[in-house]
Amino acid sequence: MDTTTQYLGLSLRHPLVASAGPLTQSVEAVRALADTGVGAIVLHSMFAERLRREAERDQELTDVGADSFPEASGYFPSVADAVEPGTAYLSLLERSAAAVDVPLIASLNAAGVGNWVSYARRLADAGASAIECNVYFVPGDVTLSGADVEARQLEIVAAVTEAVSLPVAVKLSPFLSSPGNFALRVVDAGASGLVLFNRFLQPSMDVERLAVVPGVTLSSPAEAQVPRTWIATLRNHTSASLAATSGVAEASDVAAYLLAGADVVMTTSSLVRNGAGYARTLIDGLSDWAAAKGFASVDDFRGLLAVPSGADDNALARSGYLAALEKAQQTYGSLRA
Amino acid sequence: MSTVIIDGNEAAASASFRLNELCSIYPITPSSTMAELADEWASRGQANVYGLIPTVIEMQSEGGAAGALHGALQGGALSTTFTASQGLLLMIPNMYKIAGELTSTVFNVAARSLAAQGLSIYGDHQDVMAVRQTGFALLNSSSVQEAHDMAAVSQLATLRSRVPFLHFFDGFRTSHEENSCELLTDDQLRELVPEDLVRAHRERALSPEHPYIRGTAQNPDTYFQGRESANPYYNAVPGIVTESMDAFAAITGRQYHLVDYYGDPEADRVLVIMGSGAQTVRSTVAYLNAQGEKVGVVQLRLYRPFPVAEILAAIPASARVVAVMDRTKEPGAGGEPLFLDVAAALGEAYAAGRLQHLPTIVGGRYGLSSKEFTPAMVAGIYAELAKDSPRPRFTIGINDDVTQLSLDYDPSVDLEDPATLRAVFYGLGSDGTVGANKNSVKIIGAIENTYAQGYYVYDSKKSGSRTVSHLRFGPNPIEAPYLVSKAGFIGVHHWSILERVDVLEFARPGTILLINTPYEPDDTFAHLPEPMQAKIIELGIELWAIDANLVARKAGMGRRTNTVLQTCFFAISEVLPKSEAIAEVKRTIRKTYARKGADVVAKNEAAVDATVENLFRIAVPAAPVSEVGMIPPVPATAPEFVRDVTASMLLGTGDQLPVSALPVDGTYPSGTTKYEKRNISDIVAEWDPDACIQCGNCAFVCPHAVLRAKYYTESALDGAPDGFQSAPLNAAGFPGSRYTLQVYAEDCTGCGLCVEACPVKPLGSGGERKAINLAPLPEPRTKTKENVAFFETIPVNRRSRIDFANVRGTQFLEPLFEFSGACSGCGETPYLKLLTQLFGGRATVANATGCSSIYGGNLPTTPWSSNKYGRGPAWSNSLFEDNAEFGLGLRLAADLHTATARRRLEELRPELGDRLVDAILDAPQQYESELSQQRARVDALKALLDGMDTPRVADLRSVADHLLRRSVWIVGGDGWAYDIGSAGVDHVLASGRNVNVLVLDTEVYSNTGGQASKSTPLGAVAKFAAAGKPTAKKDMALQATAYGNVYVARVAMGADPEQTLKAFREAEAYEGPSLILAYSHCIAHGIDMRKGLDQQYAAVASGHWPLMRYNPVLRSAGKNPFLLDSARPRIPLRDYHMKELRFRMLMNSDPESAERMLELGQDAVNRRWAEYEEMATRGADRFAEVAGG
C-alpha cells in the first residue's frame, strides 16, 4: 500500500506519527522510534516557562553560597553561566535530526508571547522540520473572558509563524465555545496545521492524604471520539494539515482517524504502554486493514467519512453541535473495521 | 589594551594562562581563583597567545602539582602553577630541583600566612620567605595592575635567564581586591615573550632523540662545584629583569624597576618595603613631605636574587635611619629576612668603603595575616624614626604589651583623596550585598576616567556570616590597599547587624547612612540602639531608610534585596548623578537578566522604580530617644576569657586585643559557640508535643544541635516557666515520666532538616505539618532564653540508662559538638555530633583542614564542647595532608601512656590491692555500663593515689586517665581522604592500630569552593572539572576492605540512620583501624539544603551510594564480613542526578557528554552493585582471615 502522506508540507512515508513524550528523551530512543517506520516524530515538549523557572532556580542554587565566605566566592564554575535555558533540548533535537531520516517536529509549550519567538527560532536552527505549538494555557483568572484567551493564543500563533519560516502546527484545546471556528482562525493566523486535541493533564485530589496530586494518565480509545468528530467536521473547511491525537490503541483507531480526514495520526499512549516497537504493529495492522478493504493507498480512504463540504452547515445551524456529533457518531459506529 | 575591573588573582592568571601550555594546580586559599579561572578558560577552549589551549591538570596535592610541573618542564612544556602558604611549602623539594636544573617557570603565589599557633588564610609573606633559599627568583607586585604586569615580566625573565621565578602578591589584599586593570592583548604578550624563547625552552627538554641524563646523584668530589656552577645565571638575573621591565615598558608604557625610590631626594628617614604596603607608604611619604618632612621609601620588586647594587643606589646618602619592613615573622632570628638582607648590603658596602655613611638600620614587622597597614601606621613609623634612638626592632599595627615592641601611632591620620567617594556596606552572607557591590564597582569602573576599588571582608561562619564591603570610587586611580575609613556612605543591609556591632565605626561628620529597616520610616530612628542614635546626632549623619524586604517582596523578588539596596546607594550617594545612576542600574539589569526573559527584566526594573518611591530621608531629633543599648556579644555569665577576648573578636574589635590577651601556644577554651546567640534565622524549629512520637529522628539529623531531648520525673517541672513544653514520655517502663524536646531557637538556622526527618503528619494538618515545624522566631526572645535556661536545669539523662542501639535512644545523649557556624542544613555536622554523643567524653579528634576544621576550629567561637564533668572531645588540627598520621600519633601516645599506666599499676599492686588492680586491668570496656564502671574505678584509683607520694605514684597519676579506653578519631573531608591525605590514610589503615577514620564525604573540596576531588562522581560539574568530571569516583570502601583487618562502613544518615548508628558503634568498638565513609550533602551539590536527606536517600536508592559494612570481627567468627545494608537500586541514577545542579549543569552545557557520562555512570552503578552483591553472598572462607582475630 502506498502510505506516503503530506503533512505541514512535509512528505512523510507513513501517516502514523510518534508523539511519544517519554520515549523521545535520548537520541537512541528517537532512533528506535524512527526504526519502526513511523512517518515523523514529535519530540516531547520544550516547556518555556519551566525552563525559565529552572534557570532561575539553578541561579538561586548557584548564588546561595556565593560571596559569603572568604575561601569561596562561590561553589560552581562560571562556565554554565553562559548556557542559555533549553540547550539540552536543542542539543537533543540537533543530534536526533542528524541521526534519523524521518522529519522531527519540535514541540514548544509556552504561555507568554515573549518566550515563544526566541525559542521557536532556536528550534528551527537546531534542525526541526516543523514546530508544534502547544499553547498550554489554563487560565486560573476567572475574570479573563474566552475571547481574551483566544485572542492571546492567536497573537502567539501569529508571532511564531511570523518569526520562523518552518511550518507551524498548533495543538488545540477542545474546551472552547466554538472549537471549529477557533481552529479556522488559527489557520488564518498563519498555522500550517492543527493538532486535535491537547489532553489537559489536570490535577486530581487524593482523598486519603487530603492533597492535590498531579494527574497523569494515558489516553483511552474513548477519548478519540471528540477529536475524530472535529477532524471530520473541519476536513472540508480547510486545506491546512490536520493531525489526530489521543485514543489510539489499535490499528483500527488509526484507520478511523484517517477516514475522518486526518492527514496524520499521532500516538503517545500506545507506545508508552507497549514500547516503541508497537508502532510497527500499528503500521502493519493498518496495511492489513487497508488490504482487506481493498484500498491501494492511504489517500484512497483518507477523509472518506469526513463531513461533506456544505452538507452539514444547515444541520449544524439547526441542531447545533449535539446533532452533528450524534450523526457523526452513528456514521462512524458502523464503519469500525 | 582594555581596562577592566578585576581582582589580583584574575590579573595574574590572565597573563600567566595566556603565556603557558600547562597549569598544574591544586586548590588553596587565596590562590584558588587563579587555578579555577585557568580551568574555566581551558574548558571554554580559550587558547594561549601561541594558539594552544593550555592543559589544566588538578593534582592530589601541591606536592603532586609541583612534581607534575617539574616533569612537564623537563618535557619542554611551558608550565606554571598557582599556590600559597602550606601549598608552597609542599612544593619546596621540587623547587630546589627545578632551580638546580635551571628550568624556566613562573609560580604565581597569593602570599599567605603559615599555620603556626593557628592557621590563617590571610595575607603576609611568611610562605614566600620560606622558599627564598630554593634558588627561585622572587618578584613581587604591589597592586592588581602590577600582578598582571609582573606575571608577564617574570615569564619573559625566566625564559631569558633560565632561572625559575616565583611571582607573588599579597594574599587577599591584592589577590581579592577589585581594581581597574589594563589587560595586555595577546599581541602584546606575544611581542613581549617571543616564540624563539619558547622554542629554546623546548630544546632543553629531555628527548630520546638526543638523550642525556639529568638528576644524577653526586659525590663529595663534585657536588659543591656543581652547586656553584650556576652562579653566572643568578648574577645575570637582575640585569635580565631590568631589561624585561624595559621591554615591557616599551610595549605598554608602564615602566617598572627592580627597586624604585619615592620621596625626598634628601630624605633623612627611609623605609624599605615590598608588596602592597609599598603603595600605602608611597602615599604617606607624599603627604608627610608636603607637611615639610624629609622622608622616602624604597620599593623593592625583585627580592631574589637580592639586587644589592640597586638597593644601595636607591637609598639616599642623606638617610640617617633606614627601617626595613618585613611582612613575616622568624621567631628567634636576629631579624627578619629583608631586614637582614638590607643590613648586610649596607654594612658590607660601608665596610668596603663603597658607602660613605652608614645609616642606623632598624627592622619592623607589620601586616601579618592581613593585619591592616594604614597611612596612620606609616606616619607612626616615621615618627619613631625621627627619634634620636629609634627602636631597633618594632612591630606596628598591634598592641604588644608583653615584649613592648609595638609602636604607638595616631589612628586618626587620614590621607584619603577627597575626590574619592568611600562607601562601606554591612550585609549577611548570600544576601547578595557583596555581589551587588561587585556589580556597582564594575558599573562605575567602566565609566571613562572613573576608577573603582572593591574589597570585601567576611567573618568565618559559613551560615549567617557578616560581610563588610569597602568600596572606593573616584576620578583618580585608587591606590589605597587598606580598608576604608571615614566613609561618605554607609549601608546597613540588615537591622540585626546594627543591634550588635558599631556600624558607625567608619563614619565621619555628614556621612550618609542607609538602613534597611523593618519599621515604618518615622519609627526607624526610635528603634535604633541609644549609642547609635547619639553618634548619628553627634556626627550630623544624614539618615535614610527603606524597608527593602517589603519592596523586594512586593516586586516579586522574594527575599533578594540586593537590587533594591544597590539602587538606594545609587540614588542617594551621589556617586553618579541620580538619573544617570538609575539608568545604569537598569542597563545592568537588562544585561544580566536578558536571557531569563522579558518578565524577569521587567520585575527587576519595577523593583528599581519602587525603590526610589520607598526610600525616605529620616528626620533626626536633637537628642537620643532610646534607652536600649547594643545587644552584648556574650552573656555576662560567660567565662572571663570569653567575655574579655572572644567577645571582642565577635564585636569586630579583635584588632585592639593586646598581645597579652592571647594564649601563647594556640590553646583555646573549647565549647564557646554556646555563648554566642546568633539569631541568624527568622524562622526556627517549633515542637508540637501533642503530635510528637518522640522517635528522635529530628534531633539525630539536626546539624546544629539545637534540638535537645530529655526525659525526667514530673517533679522536675516544678518552677517551669509558663509555656515550657512537656509531654508524657511514651516509652514503656517509665510511667509518670515526662519528655521535652527543647528547641534552642536562638541557635537554630532554620534549615528544616528536622521537619524533613519527622515521620509524623498529624491528622487534620493536611499533610503539610509535622510534629516539628518551622515557625517565626518566638518573641520575646527572653521567653526562649527562659525556657532553654530551665531546660538546662533538668539533669542530662544518665548514659548507662540509655539504649544506644537505636536512634530513639541517642536523642538523650548530650551532644558535645554544638551550634557550629557550618552552612545551614550542613550534611557533615550531624555525623560529628553523633560521634560526640556516643564517645565524646573520651574522644580525641584529629581534624584535617577543610570545612570541618573551619566550622570546628575557626575563632572566635568553637563548637567542640564538654559535659558537666568537664570532659569532652579534645580536638586538634595539624595540617591538610597529614591528618591520618597526626591522628595515629595521638593513638600511639595514648597506647604508650596506657602501657605505662598498666605497668605502674602492676608495680603498685601491693599498695593498691589486688582487687582494684585486677578490676582495672581486666575490665571489659565495650559497653557504656562497662565504661562508666571503669571510669569509677579510675576515679577511685586517683583518689587513692592522691594520698600517696612516690615517683611511681606520680608517674601513674599522670597517665591514670589512659586506663579508660580512649577513642581516637581521625576526621576530614574527601579532599583530604581521597587526595592529599590518601597515602597517609592508607598507611594508617594498614598500621592495624585502633583508630577510627571518619570521612565526611561531600564529593568535592567544599571549603575552598567546590573543586573536584577523586571522590567527585563521574559527570559532576565542579571547579577544576568545569566540563564534568570525566572519571569515576574512587571506591575507597572497597580499597579498604582489601586489607581484611579494617572495619569499613559506608553510611548515609538520610537513607538509614540506624545503619549509621550501628556503623559508628561497631567502628569504635573494633580494636583495629576503622573507616567510615559518610555521605554528606553539601551546598556545593547545588541542592535545596532542606532536601539534603532526600538526596541522601536518592543516592542510596539509585545505587550511587550503597550502604555496606565490612566487619572483620564477623570473619573471625567464621561469618561473611561483608554486609550489604541497602536494597538493590530501585531508581535510575538519572533521577538522583537530575535533582542536583552539579549534574544538571552538564545536562545544560553539554547534553551529549552528560548523556554519555550518565550512561557510563549507570553502568558503573550496576556493575558495582553486582560485585557487592556477590561479595555479600560469598562464603566466609573467601575472605582473608584476620591475623590474631
Side-chain angles (χ1 to χ4, degrees):
Chain A
M1 183 178 63
D2 178 6
T3 57
T4 53
T5 297
Q6 294 294 310
Y7 176 60
L8 305 175
L10 308 168
S11 188
L12 311 187
R13 63 187 179 192
H14 198 276
L16 187 71
V17 170
S19 58
L23 300 183
T24 60
Q25 305 283 345
S26 71
V27 178
E28 282 61 44
V30 171
R31 192 184 284 127
L33 284 170
D35 288 346
T36 63
V38 294
I41 296 167
V42 184
L43 288 190
H44 57 279
S45 280
M46 176 180 190
F47 289 88
E49 275 74 25
R50 192 170 74 195
L51 288 174
R52 207 200 65 218
R53 272 201 311 278
E54 284 173 358
E56 273 183 28
R57 173 202 58 192
D58 287 355
Q59 189 62 53
E60 273 171 32
L61 290 172
T62 313
D63 289 345
V64 165
D67 293 323
S68 51
F69 180 67
E71 302 208 54
S73 58
Y75 290 86
F76 293 96
S78 60
V79 170
D81 285 358
V83 176
E84 299 215 17
T87 304
Y89 187 92
L90 294 165
S91 160
L92 175 69
L93 174 59
E94 202 167 347
R95 287 177 288 131
S96 301
V100 301
D101 55 4
V102 295
L104 291 182
I105 300 168
S107 168
L108 177 57
N109 187 318
V113 179
N115 297 316
W116 272 100
V117 175
S118 67
Y119 281 122
R121 282 208 187 103
R122 289 166 64 200
L123 291 170
D125 292 345
S129 298
I131 294 173
E132 184 175 302
C133 286
N134 195 341
V135 189
Y136 191 102
F137 179 64
V138 186
D141 179 359
V142 294
T143 63
L144 201 61
S145 74
D148 290 342
V149 172
E150 292 182 9
R152 182 160 170 185
Q153 298 199 19
L154 291 172
E155 186 191 353
I156 289 170
V157 172
V160 174
T161 51
E162 171 74 28
V164 294
S165 55
L166 289 184
V168 174
V170 177
K171 199 165 189 174
L172 297 175
S173 160
F175 303 118
L176 296 166
S177 303
S178 178
N181 170 266
F182 183 67
L184 297 179
R185 284 160 63 204
V186 166
V187 174
D188 288 345
S192 306
L194 303 167
V195 183
L196 287 77
F197 283 113
N198 207 344
R199 292 178 71 241
F200 287 85
L201 308 174
Q202 288 159 339
S204 59
M205 308 293 171
D206 181 332
V207 297
E208 281 307 312
R209 288 176 51 220
L210 306 182
V212 178
V213 292
V216 182
T217 55
L218 298 174
S219 72
S220 64
E223 289 177 62
Q225 289 175 357
V226 173
R228 207 161 51 215
T229 304
W230 277 108
I231 285 169
T233 306
L234 284 168
R235 180 64 285 168
N236 290 315
H237 283 279
T238 178
S239 58
S241 295
L242 295 177
T245 181
S246 295
V248 173
E250 297 170 11
S252 59
D253 300 316
V254 180
Y257 267 132
L258 293 170
L259 286 166
D263 292 301
V264 295
V265 180
M266 298 177 171
T267 180
T268 303
S269 297
S270 74
L271 304 187
V272 173
R273 217 174 256 132
N274 305 308
Y278 189 68
R280 190 73 251 170
T281 308
L282 293 175
I283 288 168
D284 293 344
L286 185 69
S287 297
D288 293 347
W289 171 84
K293 295 290 179 190
F295 296 123
S297 75
V298 173
D299 287 341
D300 284 354
F301 62 90
R302 183 184 278 114
L304 205 59
L305 297 177
V307 178
S309 179
D312 273 349
D313 285 356
N314 293 335
L316 282 168
R318 243 186 353 261
S319 311
Y321 184 74
L322 265 181
L325 195 63
E326 279 168 16
K327 184 168 183 244
Q329 280 173 339
Q330 279 165 10
T331 316
Y332 298 142
S334 65
L335 280 164
R336 295 286 299 249
Chain B
M1 248 180 293
S2 60
T3 301
V4 291
I5 299 278
I6 51 175
D7 65 19
N9 272 333
E10 185 170 354
S14 166
S16 200
F17 177 82
R18 288 186 286 157
L19 288 169
N20 276 285
E21 296 169 321
L22 175 83
C23 306
S24 180
I25 57 172
Y26 191 76
I28 185 164
T29 306
S31 70
S32 305
T33 312
M34 289 186 276
E36 289 162 15
L37 288 168
D39 180 57
E40 287 181 29
W41 291 330
S43 72
R44 281 183 199 159
Q46 288 184 29
N48 66 14
V49 298
Y50 312 113
L52 176 92
I53 300 169
T55 293
V56 179
I57 178 112
E58 181 191 10
M59 296 302 296
Q60 86 284 12
S61 70
E62 289 89 351
L69 179 111
H70 183 197
L73 292 170
Q74 289 305 321
L78 296 174
S79 311
T80 186
T81 190
F82 314 100
T83 194
S85 194
Q86 315 297 134
L88 185 60
L89 299 198
L90 287 177
M91 294 185 174
I92 290 177
N94 263 295
M95 293 176 75
Y96 278 98
K97 291 290 298 176
I98 291 166
E101 293 161 352
L102 285 177
T103 320
S104 301
T105 183
V106 178
F107 287 14
N108 289 282
V109 173
R112 166 181 155 178
S113 308
L114 296 177
Q117 85 281 6
L119 164 158
S120 166
I121 58 170
Y122 292 99
D124 61 38
H125 298 165
Q126 291 186 68
D127 53 1
V128 290
M129 285 303 182
V131 301
R132 68 184 190 277
Q133 74 291 351
T134 57
F136 268 56
L138 268 57
L139 188 67
N140 77 90
S141 299
S142 67
S143 68
V144 174
Q145 181 69 61
E146 280 187 34
H148 184 64
D149 296 350
M150 290 305 129
V153 166
S154 4
Q155 185 76 11
L156 174 60
T158 190
L159 287 171
R160 292 187 55 183
S161 66
R162 291 189 57 186
V163 171
F165 271 62
L166 185 149
H167 163 230
F168 71 96
F169 44 90
D170 291 353
F172 280 97
R173 188 61 255 181
T174 304
S175 69
H176 282 55
E177 176 184 307
E178 297 183 310
N179 210 320
S180 309
C181 179
E182 277 190 19
L183 290 183
L184 272 76
T185 63
D186 284 2
D187 288 341
Q188 287 175 315
L189 284 172
R190 207 170 19 243
E191 184 187 346
L192 182 71
V193 188
E195 287 190 67
D196 58 337
L197 289 174
V198 178
R199 283 192 289 274
H201 173 71
R202 223 173 260 163
E203 278 159 18
R204 294 190 287 268
L206 293 172
S207 166
E209 299 300 319
H210 46 83
Y212 43 68
I213 184 168
R214 197 180 275 156
T216 53
Q218 301 178 354
N219 300 317
D221 54 349
T222 56
Y223 178 91
F224 192 170
Q225 301 93 302
R227 206 79 178 96
E228 298 295 325
S229 64
N231 290 351
Y233 289 85
Y234 284 86
N235 294 340
V237 168
I240 288 173
V241 175
T242 299
E243 288 163 22
S244 302
M245 287 172 163
D246 293 347
F248 181 87
I251 293 170
T252 64
R254 291 192 292 277
Q255 178 71 61
Y256 299 101
H257 302 99
L258 307 187
V259 175
D260 274 310
Y261 177 78
Y262 302 88
D264 193 313
E266 301 289 315
D268 58 349
R269 287 158 288 155
V270 173
L271 289 193
V272 180
I273 193 166
M274 57 186 175
S276 66
Q279 276 197 342
T280 309
V281 181
R282 272 157 51 181
S283 50
T284 314
V285 162
Y287 165 81
L288 293 175
N289 286 343
Q291 313 283 309
E293 301 200 31
K294 284 181 166 303
V295 295
V297 56
V298 173
Q299 177 178 2
L300 185 65
R301 289 204 178 77
L302 182 70
Y303 176 54
R304 282 287 181 275
F306 193 65
V308 172
E310 286 80 1
I311 287 272
L312 293 176
I315 297 173
S318 54
R320 183 180 58 79
V321 52
V322 172
V324 185
M325 302 302 296
D326 274 281
R327 197 163 199 162
T328 188
K329 164 84 179 169
E330 276 193 23
E336 267 60 39
L338 183 56
F339 164 79
L340 292 180
D341 287 328
V342 174
L346 286 169
E348 199 177 10
Y350 179 72
R354 294 196 302 277
L355 202 63
Q356 296 309 306
H357 153 77
L358 183 66
T360 302
I361 312 164
V362 303
R365 281 187 298 279
Y366 72 104
L368 264 64
S369 180
S370 287
K371 178 71 74 188
E372 277 286 279
F373 185 58
T374 62
M377 295 175 194
V378 177
I381 297 169
Y382 281 116
E384 175 72 18
L385 301 187
K387 293 177 181 168
D388 288 341
S389 328
R391 266 184 261 190
R393 301 286 182 280
F394 64 86
T395 57
I396 187 81
I398 57 171
N399 173 11
D400 177 2
D401 57 343
V402 175
T403 44
Q404 320 295 336
L405 286 173
S406 58
L407 301 184
D408 291 332
Y409 64 95
D410 173 8
S412 69
V413 174
D414 175 24
L415 306 189
E416 295 260 14
D417 178 354
T420 299
L421 172 74
R422 284 159 264 161
V424 173
F425 299 83
Y426 290 86
L428 293 182
S430 58
D431 67 354
T433 295
V434 170
N437 286 331
K438 287 183 172 177
N439 182 253
S440 299
V441 168
K442 281 199 165 35
I443 289 177
I444 296 169
I447 297 169
E448 208 171 334
N449 298 323
T450 306
Y451 297 86
Q453 179 202 43
Y455 188 77
Y456 309 93
V457 179
Y458 309 89
D459 72 21
S460 306
K461 307 288 186 190
K462 289 167 183 280
S463 57
S465 62
R466 194 160 64 225
T467 67
V468 189
S469 308
H470 294 258
L471 271 51
R472 289 184 176 92
F473 306 101
N476 306 312
I478 294 164
E479 296 176 355
Y482 42 86
L483 301 180
V484 160
S485 63
K486 300 193 169 64
F489 182 95
I490 294 175
V492 183
H493 290 184
H494 290 270
W495 187 271
S496 65
I497 299 174
L498 63 79
E499 293 178 315
R500 288 174 170 77
V501 299
D502 176 14
V503 294
L504 298 180
E505 179 191 351
F506 302 109
R508 59 167 168 73
T511 292
I512 297 170
L513 174 64
L514 169 73
I515 294 174
N516 176 13
T517 175
Y519 303 103
E520 289 295 322
D522 291 344
D523 297 340
T524 294
F525 184 84
H527 282 91
L528 296 173
E530 190 278 335
M532 190 172 170
Q533 292 183 346
K535 207 159 176 180
I536 288 173
I537 293 164
E538 180 198 331
L539 292 174
I541 281 172
E542 185 181 320
L543 180 61
W544 292 75
I546 185 169
D547 186 344
N549 301 59
L550 183 69
V551 174
R553 209 162 47 240
K554 280 189 173 171
M557 317 258 296
R559 295 159 76 97
R560 300 287 294 178
T561 52
N562 53 347
T563 300
V564 173
L565 291 162
Q566 185 186 18
T567 305
C568 291
F569 168 67
F570 277 100
I572 56 178
S573 68
E574 294 171 3
V575 64
L576 292 174
K578 184 173 167 183
S579 60
E580 189 186 320
I582 300 295
E584 280 295 336
V585 174
K586 287 190 176 176
R587 196 181 58 75
T588 311
I589 284 171
R590 285 193 292 277
K591 197 171 147 197
T592 311
Y593 299 112
R595 69 189 172 84
K596 292 187 182 157
D599 39 350
V600 178
V601 171
K603 199 164 70 179
N604 277 276
E605 291 197 333
V608 171
D609 294 330
T611 300
V612 178
E613 290 158 21
N614 287 282
L615 176 59
F616 299 100
R617 173 92 190 258
I618 307 295
V620 175
V625 294
S626 167
E627 288 172 5
V628 178
M630 308 286 283
I631 296 176
V634 298
T637 52
E640 188 182 355
F641 184 87
V642 173
R643 276 184 282 119
D644 295 348
V645 180
T646 310
S648 175
M649 294 186 240
L650 291 171
L651 282 172
T653 58
D655 282 324
Q656 285 147 38
L657 287 169
V659 170
S660 64
L662 297 171
V664 295
D665 59 358
T667 308
Y668 282 75
S670 54
T672 45
T673 46
K674 62 174 163 281
Y675 302 112
E676 183 189 14
K677 297 299 173 193
R678 300 205 296 144
N679 289 286
I680 63 167
S681 180
D682 49 7
I683 50 163
V684 297
E686 181 187 65
W687 179 50
D688 180 347
D690 298 331
C692 180
I693 59 168
Q694 303 172 12
C695 67
N697 281 350
C698 57
F700 198 71
V701 301
C702 175
H704 310 284
V706 303
L707 301 176
R708 307 288 179 96
K710 284 177 187 169
Y711 64 90
Y712 46 89
T713 55
E714 183 95 42
S715 60
L717 282 175
D718 292 348
D722 282 348
F724 182 78
Q725 291 181 301
S726 175
L729 182 70
N730 69 2
F734 296 86
S737 290
R738 307 284 301 179
Y739 169 91
T740 291
L741 180 76
Q742 182 62 45
V743 178
Y744 281 53
E746 293 192 293
D747 302 293
C748 179
T749 69
C751 72
L753 283 192
C754 53
V755 183
E756 298 297 315
C758 178
V760 182
K761 290 178 185 170
L763 278 178
S765 70
E768 293 303 313
R769 282 186 66 78
K770 299 281 192 77
I772 193 155
N773 300 288
L774 292 182
L777 185 67
E779 290 288 348
R781 279 177 219 160
T782 47
K783 191 76 212 158
T784 304
K785 284 183 194 291
E786 255 176 54
N787 285 337
V788 169
F790 180 77
F791 179 79
E792 290 187 339
T793 65
I794 300 174
V796 173
N797 297 113
R798 277 174 53 192
R799 297 176 66 85
S800 53
R801 298 205 61 193
I802 295 167
D803 180 5
F804 287 23
N806 56 57
V807 169
R808 175 185 286 264
T810 61
Q811 66 181 315
F812 300 112
L813 298 172
E814 188 178 16
L816 300 176
F817 178 89
E818 58 185 8
F819 320 136
S820 78
C823 295
S824 179
C826 174
E828 296 186 351
T829 49
Y831 296 110
L832 293 174
K833 187 190 63 178
L834 177 64
L835 186 166
T836 66
Q837 287 176 296
L838 295 171
F839 322 114
R842 53 191 178 85
T844 309
V845 180
N847 204 138
T849 309
C851 269
S852 52
S853 76
I854 296 302
Y855 60 63
N858 209 123
L859 297 180
T861 60
T862 53
W864 297 87
S865 61
S866 51
N867 61 23
K868 70 170 177 180
Y869 306 103
R871 298 191 181 104
W875 183 95
S876 187
N877 160 243
S878 173
L879 294 166
F880 194 12
E881 62 272 20
D882 73 338
N883 188 50
E885 299 90 320
F886 180 61
L888 178 66
L890 290 168
R891 172 81 271 164
L892 296 174
D895 289 349
L896 285 168
H897 292 330
T898 305
T900 299
R902 294 178 71 92
R903 179 167 54 85
R904 291 298 186 196
L905 206 53
E906 278 290 1
E907 290 169 1
L908 289 164
R909 186 180 279 272
E911 292 90 327
L912 297 167
D914 289 341
R915 202 164 150 225
L916 179 64
V917 171
D918 287 337
I920 291 176
L921 292 180
D922 302 339
Q925 298 191 52
Q926 284 297 312
Y927 300 104
E928 195 61 29
S929 54
E930 295 166 349
L931 286 159
S932 71
Q933 285 167 18
Q934 180 74 341
R935 189 176 296 279
R937 288 183 208 110
V938 173
D939 285 346
L941 170 70
K942 288 198 285 192
L944 273 177
L945 295 177
D946 284 346
M948 301 160 65
D949 184 20
T950 68
R952 274 181 189 168
V953 166
D955 202 32
L956 176 57
R957 185 71 183 75
S958 71
V959 291
D961 287 334
H962 285 273
L963 293 165
L964 185 74
R965 190 162 65 84
R966 189 157 286 195
S967 189
V968 174
W969 287 83
I970 297 173
V971 173
D974 49 284
W976 157 68
Y978 286 68
D979 287 359
I980 196 168
S982 171
V985 169
D986 179 61
H987 195 85
V988 168
L989 291 178
S991 73
R993 295 286 183 157
N994 185 7
V995 293
N996 307 291
V997 178
L998 171 62
V999 180
L1000 303 162
D1001 195 341
T1002 61
E1003 307 191 320
V1004 78
Y1005 288 80
S1006 300
N1007 191 54
T1008 46
Q1011 294 84 3
S1013 76
K1014 280 200 286 298
S1015 174
T1016 304
L1018 180 77
V1021 168
K1023 291 176 183 168
F1024 299 173
K1029 177 143 175 290
T1031 54
K1033 176 187 175 85
K1034 174 162 82 174
D1035 191 341
M1036 252 187 98
L1038 208 54
Q1039 287 184 344
T1041 59
Y1043 279 113
N1045 66 332
V1046 178
Y1047 177 92
V1048 184
R1050 191 190 282 115
V1051 305
M1053 179 178 280
D1056 188 345
E1058 297 289 354
Q1059 190 255 2
T1060 300
L1061 176 59
K1062 207 181 289 175
F1064 271 69
R1065 297 181 69 221
E1066 287 176 354
E1068 205 276 339
Y1070 179 57
E1071 292 281 348
S1074 306
L1075 170 69
I1076 301 177
L1077 300 162
Y1079 186 99
S1080 306
H1081 63 258
C1082 178
I1083 192 170
H1085 294 176
I1087 55 167
D1088 173 357
M1089 289 292 273
R1090 183 166 168 168
K1091 299 292 179 192
L1093 299 171
D1094 288 355
Q1095 279 312 96
Q1096 295 201 17
Y1097 182 86
V1100 173
S1102 67
H1104 167 68
W1105 192 269
L1107 302 180
M1108 53 74 64
R1109 284 170 294 145
Y1110 184 97
N1111 192 347
V1113 173
L1114 293 177
R1115 178 65 188 91
S1116 301
K1119 296 178 189 162
N1120 180 337
F1122 192 97
L1123 304 166
L1124 196 40
D1125 289 330
S1126 53
R1128 188 170 286 194
R1130 52 203 178 280
I1131 62 169
L1133 192 62
R1134 179 190 295 272
D1135 288 7
Y1136 161 59
H1137 277 196
M1138 291 312 283
K1139 290 189 182 130
E1140 303 202 344
L1141 181 61
R1142 57 177 171 155
F1143 297 110
R1144 276 204 307 274
M1145 268 186 155
L1146 195 62
M1147 283 288 176
N1148 292 332
S1149 62
D1150 187 354
E1152 191 171 0
S1153 157
E1155 286 292 345
R1156 177 79 188 127
M1157 289 194 190
L1158 185 58
E1159 208 174 286
L1160 293 172
Q1162 183 66 61
D1163 191 46
V1165 161
N1166 298 346
R1167 261 185 295 105
R1168 185 171 54 171
W1169 184 264
E1171 189 179 356
Y1172 277 26
E1173 223 167 28
E1174 190 275 322
M1175 286 177 81
T1177 51
R1178 276 183 200 168
D1181 55 352
R1182 288 190 52 207
F1183 292 92
E1185 269 194 84
V1186 182

